[in-house]
Amino acid sequence: MKFIIGNWKMYPSSLKEAKFIFGGIKKVARGVTRAKVVLCVPALFVAPLVVLGGKSKMSVGGQNCHKDDEGARTGEISSRALKSTGATYVILGHSERRAMGETNADIAEKTVGALRNKLITILCVGEKERDEHGGYFTEVSNQLRASLALFPRNASKQLIVAYEPIWAIGSSAKRVATPADFREMSILIRRYLAEHFGKKAAFAIPVLYGGSVDDLNAEGFLREAEADGFLIGRVSLNPEKFGEVIRLANSVKPR
Ligand code: PGA
């Protein structure tokens, strides 16, 4: 199964638009059997979009959560609250949140909350820059080690890892990563996952690529680099292009 996950970030700015975009994607996702479509939307939109999703196989997720289930934490949203509104996934450790000061230790605690509330964690890792000496491998290994420090060995089914090199994300991206860039890093990621979860379990954990994915570059990652899918920002707000990525993923044989 390929995972096509949208990260809507702080878009769109109204529920009306959110419903419109969601409806467009739902149409494309109908009849898709080899790709799982998940939309991680602003928390306020989770409940109404879960209702709109109805019996479709699409899932809705959050983009962050607090480690605690409740408390005097003005402005925070707990994984328990997310779950109660119908979310089944949560993105943790996105680089935009890390840039706001979130540490690997914070992320590790959040994964425990997510697990406790039966949310699947989509853990983001990725280096800021690529250097000639391969320091970025160490950077990503360290992120994995520290963010998964509290993740139980027997809970691998509750985890998805998204490799998102920061230099390839968003409208200021320097360039898109190549399938070869991704393949190399995914080998390292899976090696680490095997140490943590054991070989068999690690093999089954989806490792996704994220960073300027669109309908034109998606196929290379799926076919050449055997990506298990994508975490997609901008293009996930465009039902036509996002729909094309879903169709492509549905046409590729699972790994
Ligand atoms: P992008 O964002 O697809 O717009 O580059 C990806 C992400 O931030 O998850």
Side-chain angles (χ1 to χ4, degrees):
M1 181 69 81
K2 302 287 180 191
F3 283 83
I4 306 301
I5 305 182
N7 172 15
W8 280 9
K9 309 194 177 185
M10 205 172 71
Y11 300 104
S13 52
S14 74
L15 178 58
K16 193 175 165 194
E17 282 172 276
K19 284 182 168 171
F20 182 76
I21 299 167
F22 190 93
I25 296 171
K26 188 179 158 187
K27 260 188 222 153
V28 189
R30 207 175 282 153
V32 165
T33 52
R34 293 208 287 213
K36 169 79 187 159
V37 181
V38 182
L39 292 174
C40 294
V41 304
L44 275 174
F45 300 157
V46 169
L49 295 184
V50 166
V51 172
L52 191 60
K55 291 208 175 72
S56 74
K57 294 206 186 83
M58 274 166 65
S59 295
V60 179
Q63 303 171 358
N64 177 38
C65 65
H66 194 274
K67 69 179 172 60
D68 296 334
D69 285 347
E70 54 186 16
R73 310 263 187 271
T74 304
E76 292 289 340
I77 291 165
S78 70
S79 48
R80 194 203 280 178
L82 265 182
K83 179 74 183 185
S84 77
T85 55
T88 40
Y89 291 77
V90 64
I91 296 175
L92 292 177
H94 190 278
S95 58
E96 286 157 13
R97 297 221 51 96
R98 290 178 188 263
M100 290 175 211
E102 194 168 287
T103 64
N104 287 313
D106 297 331
I107 296 159
E109 290 189 316
K110 291 177 185 204
T111 67
V112 177
L115 262 176
R116 187 170 58 238
N117 290 294
K118 299 189 171 56
L119 291 174
I120 294 179
T121 292
I122 303 158
L123 174 68
C124 299
V125 292
E127 75 280 4
K128 283 199 189 74
E129 274 167 22
R130 288 217 158 185
D131 57 305
E132 280 171 29
H133 311 294
Y136 53 96
F137 286 121
T138 316
E139 196 179 339
V140 172
S141 301
N142 289 343
Q143 285 175 348
L144 280 170
R145 184 162 298 114
S147 318
L148 290 175
L150 305 175
F151 210 94
R153 304 283 182 272
N154 62 359
S156 61
K157 290 202 172 100
Q158 303 300 309
L159 179 68
I160 293 174
V161 176
Y163 169 57
E164 295 210 310
I166 297 173
W167 47 266
I169 293 179
S171 47
S172 56
K174 286 190 191 140
R175 66 173 175 95
V176 190
T178 62
D181 291 333
F182 171 73
R183 179 182 270 284
E184 191 181 38
M185 191 57 90
S186 69
I187 291 169
L188 172 116
I189 292 173
R190 219 174 277 287
R191 200 177 297 152
Y192 174 75
L193 295 175
E195 270 173 37
H196 190 92
F197 295 102
K199 245 188 183 168
K200 197 169 163 223
F203 185 75
I205 297 174
V207 179
L208 316 184
Y209 171 69
S212 299
V213 174
D214 62 21
D215 48 328
L216 303 175
N217 61 29
E219 194 165 6
F221 288 99
L222 292 168
R223 291 197 197 276
E224 288 166 43
E226 288 187 304
D228 293 320
F230 301 111
L231 180 58
I232 305 184
R234 284 156 294 164
V235 160
S236 67
L237 291 147
N238 179 324
E240 230 169 78
K241 291 187 180 178
F242 192 65
E244 189 49 36
V245 179
I246 296 171
R247 272 192 222 102
L248 273 170
N250 195 44
S251 72
V252 172
K253 271 214 192 115
R255 181 162 62 77

